[in-house]
Amino acid sequence: MSKRIIVSSVIGVVVLGGTAAGLAVASTQTSGKPAVENASTRYVPPTGTRAGSLTFTADVSDDSGVRGLKVLAWPASSDLDPTEAEMRSVESATCRSTSADTSRCTYTLKVTQAEAAELAPGTWHVSTLATAKDGDTTFTPRTSAFTVTR
């Protein structure tokens, strides 16, 4: 499945739901591994000829600092179930340091009505791959889940 289809799927899930979808707070803190916390989304649907947007934000921390965060939302009905290796090739959030060991990471997409029209309702999962400056990673295959209804 191409990255563009998955990205479009992320956008459409919120469009079909009709409101902003909140991602559950996710904590992946393990000894010496990066942690992903305070994950949330904000969706503004497209109107007329104006594009909408989807924004995913999370705080990522590690004692060595944060190198980056990969984010992928995918429909449970797709049988996609990404692996850590596959997550290495998905799009990255933009991370800005908020302290020596924590960064606020944000991933934003523009949303068109055409992209939203291609998506099916149902359960969706968000997967994340956090990478610390020392190379440690934390893969969370189901950081959160939400439901899309028509």
Side-chain angles (χ1 to χ4, degrees):
M1 179 175 278
S2 78
K3 281 196 273 185
R4 184 66 189 159
I5 291 171
I6 294 169
V7 168
S8 295
S9 297
V10 170
I11 293 167
V13 74
V14 181
V15 171
L16 293 173
T19 61
L23 294 177
V25 173
S27 176
T28 57
Q29 183 67 39
T30 58
S31 180
K33 298 285 187 175
V36 178
E37 300 175 305
N38 305 319
S40 66
T41 59
R42 179 172 184 267
Y43 177 72
V44 177
T47 57
T49 58
R50 272 188 66 183
S53 64
L54 175 69
T55 304
F56 172 87
T57 304
D59 294 324
V60 181
S61 60
D62 186 80
D63 58 2
S64 72
V66 176
R67 181 180 300 159
L69 180 70
K70 302 282 190 166
V71 178
L72 178 68
W74 50 279
S77 63
S78 72
D79 296 327
L80 187 66
D81 205 12
T83 65
E84 182 172 352
E86 292 168 333
M87 287 294 294
R88 294 180 194 284
S89 64
V90 303
E91 294 180 9
S92 296
T94 301
C95 296
R96 306 256 188 256
S97 294
T98 58
S99 72
D101 62 354
T102 303
S103 292
R104 167 81 32 103
C105 299
T106 305
Y107 181 67
T108 303
L109 297 170
K110 289 188 177 185
V111 181
T112 68
Q113 290 184 6
E115 289 168 331
E118 297 177 8
L119 304 170
T123 300
W124 284 66
H125 301 289
V126 176
S127 298
T128 57
L129 177 64
T131 304
K133 285 186 177 178
D134 64 6
D136 285 343
T137 60
T138 298
F139 169 58
T140 309
R142 288 176 177 80
T143 304
S144 68
F146 51 97
T147 302
V148 176
T149 59
R150 288 193 186 221

